[in-house]
mmCIF file of all heavy atoms in Angstrom:
data_model
loop_
_atom_site.group_PDB
_atom_site.id
_atom_site.type_symbol
_atom_site.label_atom_id
_atom_site.label_comp_id
_atom_site.label_asym_id
_atom_site.label_seq_id
_atom_site.Cartn_x
_atom_site.Cartn_y
_atom_site.Cartn_z
ATOM 1 N N ILE Y 594 112.410 99.923 124.797
ATOM 2 C CA ILE Y 594 113.843 100.163 124.886
ATOM 3 C C ILE Y 594 114.131 101.474 124.167
ATOM 4 O O ILE Y 594 113.406 101.873 123.261
ATOM 5 C CB ILE Y 594 114.696 99.019 124.309
ATOM 6 C CG1 ILE Y 594 114.588 98.940 122.788
ATOM 7 C CG2 ILE Y 594 114.356 97.692 124.943
ATOM 8 C CD1 ILE Y 594 115.695 98.110 122.161
ATOM 9 N N SER Y 595 115.191 102.127 124.581
ATOM 10 C CA SER Y 595 115.587 103.384 123.953
ATOM 11 C C SER Y 595 116.364 103.092 122.673
ATOM 12 O O SER Y 595 116.854 101.974 122.453
ATOM 13 C CB SER Y 595 116.473 104.189 124.906
ATOM 14 O OG SER Y 595 117.754 103.555 125.021
ATOM 15 N N VAL Y 596 116.500 104.101 121.847
ATOM 16 C CA VAL Y 596 117.282 103.935 120.618
ATOM 17 C C VAL Y 596 118.765 103.728 120.949
ATOM 18 O O VAL Y 596 119.477 103.057 120.204
ATOM 19 C CB VAL Y 596 117.065 105.104 119.629
ATOM 20 C CG1 VAL Y 596 115.641 105.072 119.068
ATOM 21 C CG2 VAL Y 596 117.387 106.441 120.255
ATOM 22 N N HIS Y 597 119.214 104.270 122.084
ATOM 23 C CA HIS Y 597 120.602 104.045 122.496
ATOM 24 C C HIS Y 597 120.808 102.570 122.849
ATOM 25 O O HIS Y 597 121.815 101.964 122.472
ATOM 26 C CB HIS Y 597 120.968 104.939 123.674
ATOM 27 C CG HIS Y 597 120.946 106.395 123.347
ATOM 28 N ND1 HIS Y 597 121.833 106.978 122.466
ATOM 29 C CD2 HIS Y 597 120.142 107.384 123.764
ATOM 30 C CE1 HIS Y 597 121.569 108.270 122.357
ATOM 31 N NE2 HIS Y 597 120.537 108.544 123.132
ATOM 32 N N GLU Y 598 119.838 101.995 123.574
ATOM 33 C CA GLU Y 598 119.914 100.575 123.902
ATOM 34 C C GLU Y 598 119.836 99.725 122.636
ATOM 35 O O GLU Y 598 120.546 98.723 122.505
ATOM 36 C CB GLU Y 598 118.805 100.184 124.877
ATOM 37 C CG GLU Y 598 118.928 98.758 125.369
ATOM 38 C CD GLU Y 598 117.881 98.378 126.387
ATOM 39 O OE1 GLU Y 598 117.142 99.248 126.876
ATOM 40 O OE2 GLU Y 598 117.804 97.173 126.688
ATOM 41 N N LEU Y 599 119.002 100.135 121.683
ATOM 42 C CA LEU Y 599 118.927 99.425 120.410
ATOM 43 C C LEU Y 599 120.292 99.404 119.734
ATOM 44 O O LEU Y 599 120.738 98.358 119.251
ATOM 45 C CB LEU Y 599 117.887 100.068 119.485
ATOM 46 C CG LEU Y 599 117.852 99.533 118.050
ATOM 47 C CD1 LEU Y 599 117.485 98.055 118.012
ATOM 48 C CD2 LEU Y 599 116.897 100.357 117.198
ATOM 49 N N ALA Y 600 120.961 100.537 119.695
ATOM 50 C CA ALA Y 600 122.280 100.608 119.052
ATOM 51 C C ALA Y 600 123.260 99.634 119.715
ATOM 52 O O ALA Y 600 124.028 98.952 119.024
ATOM 53 C CB ALA Y 600 122.814 102.029 119.112
ATOM 54 N N LEU Y 601 123.220 99.545 121.032
ATOM 55 C CA LEU Y 601 124.090 98.613 121.753
ATOM 56 C C LEU Y 601 123.733 97.168 121.412
ATOM 57 O O LEU Y 601 124.613 96.329 121.189
ATOM 58 C CB LEU Y 601 123.992 98.836 123.262
ATOM 59 C CG LEU Y 601 124.546 100.155 123.780
ATOM 60 C CD1 LEU Y 601 124.224 100.328 125.259
ATOM 61 C CD2 LEU Y 601 126.045 100.248 123.530
ATOM 62 N N ARG Y 602 122.445 96.886 121.360
ATOM 63 C CA ARG Y 602 121.994 95.519 121.050
ATOM 64 C C ARG Y 602 122.387 95.135 119.625
ATOM 65 O O ARG Y 602 122.786 94.004 119.374
ATOM 66 C CB ARG Y 602 120.479 95.405 121.226
ATOM 67 C CG ARG Y 602 119.964 95.638 122.641
ATOM 68 C CD ARG Y 602 120.534 94.647 123.661
ATOM 69 N NE ARG Y 602 120.385 93.268 123.262
ATOM 70 C CZ ARG Y 602 119.274 92.547 123.394
ATOM 71 N NH1 ARG Y 602 118.215 93.073 123.950
ATOM 72 N NH2 ARG Y 602 119.240 91.297 122.986
ATOM 73 N N LEU Y 603 122.273 96.074 118.675
ATOM 74 C CA LEU Y 603 122.660 95.798 117.294
ATOM 75 C C LEU Y 603 124.162 95.550 117.192
ATOM 76 O O LEU Y 603 124.605 94.695 116.418
ATOM 77 C CB LEU Y 603 122.240 96.944 116.377
ATOM 78 C CG LEU Y 603 120.729 97.142 116.202
ATOM 79 C CD1 LEU Y 603 120.457 98.388 115.368
ATOM 80 C CD2 LEU Y 603 120.064 95.913 115.604
ATOM 81 N N ALA Y 604 124.938 96.272 117.982
ATOM 82 C CA ALA Y 604 126.394 96.107 117.970
ATOM 83 C C ALA Y 604 126.813 94.738 118.506
ATOM 84 O O ALA Y 604 127.870 94.219 118.134
ATOM 85 C CB ALA Y 604 127.054 97.214 118.790
ATOM 86 N N ASP Y 605 125.969 94.127 119.337
ATOM 87 C CA ASP Y 605 126.254 92.793 119.885
ATOM 88 C C ASP Y 605 126.092 91.682 118.849
ATOM 89 O O ASP Y 605 126.590 90.581 119.043
ATOM 90 C CB ASP Y 605 125.337 92.485 121.072
ATOM 91 C CG ASP Y 605 125.722 93.253 122.314
ATOM 92 O OD1 ASP Y 605 126.858 93.765 122.386
ATOM 93 O OD2 ASP Y 605 124.873 93.339 123.228
ATOM 94 N N HIS Y 606 125.352 91.946 117.774
ATOM 95 C CA HIS Y 606 125.101 90.953 116.711
ATOM 96 C C HIS Y 606 124.534 89.654 117.277
ATOM 97 O O HIS Y 606 124.965 88.562 116.900
ATOM 98 C CB HIS Y 606 126.362 90.677 115.894
ATOM 99 C CG HIS Y 606 126.940 91.895 115.255
ATOM 100 N ND1 HIS Y 606 126.338 92.525 114.185
ATOM 101 C CD2 HIS Y 606 128.047 92.630 115.545
ATOM 102 C CE1 HIS Y 606 127.065 93.578 113.835
ATOM 103 N NE2 HIS Y 606 128.099 93.661 114.644
ATOM 104 N N ASP Y 607 123.582 89.760 118.188
ATOM 105 C CA ASP Y 607 122.942 88.591 118.797
ATOM 106 C C ASP Y 607 122.094 87.877 117.745
ATOM 107 O O ASP Y 607 121.117 88.435 117.257
ATOM 108 C CB ASP Y 607 122.075 89.037 119.973
ATOM 109 C CG ASP Y 607 121.363 87.907 120.674
ATOM 110 O OD1 ASP Y 607 121.381 86.758 120.176
ATOM 111 O OD2 ASP Y 607 120.771 88.159 121.746
ATOM 112 N N PRO Y 608 122.431 86.638 117.374
ATOM 113 C CA PRO Y 608 121.678 85.947 116.327
ATOM 114 C C PRO Y 608 120.252 85.564 116.750
ATOM 115 O O PRO Y 608 119.421 85.259 115.898
ATOM 116 C CB PRO Y 608 122.518 84.695 116.056
ATOM 117 C CG PRO Y 608 123.265 84.462 117.321
ATOM 118 C CD PRO Y 608 123.511 85.821 117.918
ATOM 119 N N ASN Y 609 119.971 85.595 118.047
ATOM 120 C CA ASN Y 609 118.639 85.234 118.521
ATOM 121 C C ASN Y 609 117.691 86.428 118.601
ATOM 122 O O ASN Y 609 116.499 86.259 118.851
ATOM 123 C CB ASN Y 609 118.735 84.568 119.899
ATOM 124 C CG ASN Y 609 119.532 83.290 119.831
ATOM 125 O OD1 ASN Y 609 119.309 82.463 118.951
ATOM 126 N ND2 ASN Y 609 120.481 83.139 120.727
ATOM 127 N N LEU Y 610 118.218 87.634 118.412
ATOM 128 C CA LEU Y 610 117.401 88.841 118.480
ATOM 129 C C LEU Y 610 116.581 88.971 117.196
ATOM 130 O O LEU Y 610 117.111 88.905 116.094
ATOM 131 C CB LEU Y 610 118.307 90.061 118.647
ATOM 132 C CG LEU Y 610 117.628 91.394 118.879
ATOM 133 C CD1 LEU Y 610 116.847 91.386 120.193
ATOM 134 C CD2 LEU Y 610 118.676 92.497 118.900
ATOM 135 N N GLN Y 611 115.268 89.139 117.364
ATOM 136 C CA GLN Y 611 114.373 89.291 116.217
ATOM 137 C C GLN Y 611 114.009 90.765 116.072
ATOM 138 O O GLN Y 611 113.616 91.410 117.039
ATOM 139 C CB GLN Y 611 113.107 88.451 116.424
ATOM 140 C CG GLN Y 611 113.417 86.983 116.591
ATOM 141 C CD GLN Y 611 112.199 86.128 116.827
ATOM 142 O OE1 GLN Y 611 112.061 85.111 116.184
ATOM 143 N NE2 GLN Y 611 111.310 86.512 117.730
ATOM 144 N N LEU Y 612 114.137 91.288 114.851
ATOM 145 C CA LEU Y 612 113.925 92.701 114.572
ATOM 146 C C LEU Y 612 112.822 92.847 113.534
ATOM 147 O O LEU Y 612 112.915 92.286 112.441
ATOM 148 C CB LEU Y 612 115.215 93.333 114.052
ATOM 149 C CG LEU Y 612 116.445 93.171 114.965
ATOM 150 C CD1 LEU Y 612 117.708 93.558 114.219
ATOM 151 C CD2 LEU Y 612 116.276 93.986 116.236
ATOM 152 N N ILE Y 613 111.783 93.621 113.879
ATOM 153 C CA ILE Y 613 110.652 93.819 112.977
ATOM 154 C C ILE Y 613 110.417 95.311 112.780
ATOM 155 O O ILE Y 613 110.343 96.081 113.747
ATOM 156 C CB ILE Y 613 109.371 93.157 113.534
ATOM 157 C CG1 ILE Y 613 109.560 91.638 113.660
ATOM 158 C CG2 ILE Y 613 108.166 93.484 112.649
ATOM 159 C CD1 ILE Y 613 108.392 90.921 114.314
ATOM 160 N N ASP Y 614 110.267 95.711 111.522
ATOM 161 C CA ASP Y 614 109.940 97.088 111.144
ATOM 162 C C ASP Y 614 108.548 97.054 110.515
ATOM 163 O O ASP Y 614 108.338 96.361 109.522
ATOM 164 C CB ASP Y 614 110.972 97.606 110.143
ATOM 165 C CG ASP Y 614 110.821 99.082 109.805
ATOM 166 O OD1 ASP Y 614 109.690 99.609 109.886
ATOM 167 O OD2 ASP Y 614 111.837 99.701 109.437
ATOM 168 N N VAL Y 615 107.603 97.790 111.086
ATOM 169 C CA VAL Y 615 106.217 97.742 110.601
ATOM 170 C C VAL Y 615 105.853 98.915 109.683
ATOM 171 O O VAL Y 615 104.697 99.085 109.327
ATOM 172 C CB VAL Y 615 105.205 97.658 111.773
ATOM 173 C CG1 VAL Y 615 105.410 96.384 112.552
ATOM 174 C CG2 VAL Y 615 105.300 98.876 112.679
ATOM 175 N N ARG Y 616 106.853 99.683 109.255
ATOM 176 C CA ARG Y 616 106.575 100.813 108.371
ATOM 177 C C ARG Y 616 106.297 100.345 106.946
ATOM 178 O O ARG Y 616 106.548 99.218 106.577
ATOM 179 C CB ARG Y 616 107.754 101.793 108.393
ATOM 180 C CG ARG Y 616 107.954 102.429 109.752
ATOM 181 C CD ARG Y 616 109.202 103.297 109.823
ATOM 182 N NE ARG Y 616 110.377 102.514 109.453
ATOM 183 C CZ ARG Y 616 111.323 102.926 108.606
ATOM 184 N NH1 ARG Y 616 111.252 104.110 108.040
ATOM 185 N NH2 ARG Y 616 112.361 102.152 108.316
ATOM 186 N N GLU Y 617 105.779 101.261 106.161
ATOM 187 C CA GLU Y 617 105.451 100.992 104.765
ATOM 188 C C GLU Y 617 106.728 100.944 103.922
ATOM 189 O O GLU Y 617 107.720 101.593 104.258
ATOM 190 C CB GLU Y 617 104.514 102.076 104.232
ATOM 191 C CG GLU Y 617 103.177 102.113 104.946
ATOM 192 C CD GLU Y 617 102.444 100.785 104.877
ATOM 193 O OE1 GLU Y 617 102.331 100.214 103.776
ATOM 194 O OE2 GLU Y 617 102.009 100.291 105.938
ATOM 195 N N PRO Y 618 106.715 100.196 102.809
ATOM 196 C CA PRO Y 618 107.908 100.083 101.959
ATOM 197 C C PRO Y 618 108.482 101.438 101.538
ATOM 198 O O PRO Y 618 109.703 101.605 101.486
ATOM 199 C CB PRO Y 618 107.420 99.288 100.751
ATOM 200 C CG PRO Y 618 106.287 98.468 101.290
ATOM 201 C CD PRO Y 618 105.618 99.348 102.329
ATOM 202 N N GLU Y 619 107.602 102.393 101.252
ATOM 203 C CA GLU Y 619 108.118 103.704 100.831
ATOM 204 C C GLU Y 619 108.822 104.433 101.976
ATOM 205 O O GLU Y 619 109.745 105.216 101.744
ATOM 206 C CB GLU Y 619 107.010 104.569 100.214
ATOM 207 C CG GLU Y 619 105.781 104.759 101.061
ATOM 208 C CD GLU Y 619 104.724 103.662 100.898
ATOM 209 O OE1 GLU Y 619 104.974 102.622 100.270
ATOM 210 O OE2 GLU Y 619 103.624 103.866 101.420
ATOM 211 N N GLU Y 620 108.433 104.172 103.214
ATOM 212 C CA GLU Y 620 109.135 104.748 104.365
ATOM 213 C C GLU Y 620 110.499 104.080 104.545
ATOM 214 O O GLU Y 620 111.502 104.750 104.809
ATOM 215 C CB GLU Y 620 108.316 104.558 105.646
ATOM 216 C CG GLU Y 620 107.039 105.355 105.698
ATOM 217 C CD GLU Y 620 106.278 105.050 106.974
ATOM 218 O OE1 GLU Y 620 105.554 104.023 107.002
ATOM 219 O OE2 GLU Y 620 106.417 105.823 107.931
ATOM 220 N N VAL Y 621 110.517 102.755 104.414
ATOM 221 C CA VAL Y 621 111.761 102.000 104.555
ATOM 222 C C VAL Y 621 112.758 102.419 103.482
ATOM 223 O O VAL Y 621 113.962 102.476 103.729
ATOM 224 C CB VAL Y 621 111.482 100.485 104.505
ATOM 225 C CG1 VAL Y 621 112.776 99.688 104.522
ATOM 226 C CG2 VAL Y 621 110.574 100.069 105.666
ATOM 227 N N ALA Y 622 112.262 102.763 102.290
ATOM 228 C CA ALA Y 622 113.141 103.206 101.207
ATOM 229 C C ALA Y 622 113.843 104.523 101.563
ATOM 230 O O ALA Y 622 114.965 104.766 101.117
ATOM 231 C CB ALA Y 622 112.348 103.365 99.914
ATOM 232 N N ILE Y 623 113.213 105.341 102.380
ATOM 233 C CA ILE Y 623 113.797 106.624 102.792
ATOM 234 C C ILE Y 623 114.824 106.418 103.901
ATOM 235 O O ILE Y 623 115.909 106.974 103.860
ATOM 236 C CB ILE Y 623 112.699 107.597 103.283
ATOM 237 C CG1 ILE Y 623 111.753 107.941 102.138
ATOM 238 C CG2 ILE Y 623 113.318 108.860 103.882
ATOM 239 C CD1 ILE Y 623 110.497 108.679 102.582
ATOM 240 N N ALA Y 624 114.458 105.620 104.899
ATOM 241 C CA ALA Y 624 115.293 105.466 106.086
ATOM 242 C C ALA Y 624 115.104 104.070 106.655
ATOM 243 O O ALA Y 624 113.975 103.623 106.829
ATOM 244 C CB ALA Y 624 114.899 106.504 107.132
#
Side-chain angles (χ1 to χ4, degrees):
I594 70 164
S595 71
V596 291
H597 295 294
E598 186 177 350
L599 172 62
L601 293 173
R602 297 300 308 279
L603 293 175
D605 286 343
H606 302 288
D607 180 351
N609 298 313
L610 186 63
Q611 301 179 132
L612 304 168
I613 298 175
D614 187 332
V615 297
R616 295 174 304 134
E617 297 303 311
E619 54 273 10
E620 292 178 277
V621 175
I623 296 169

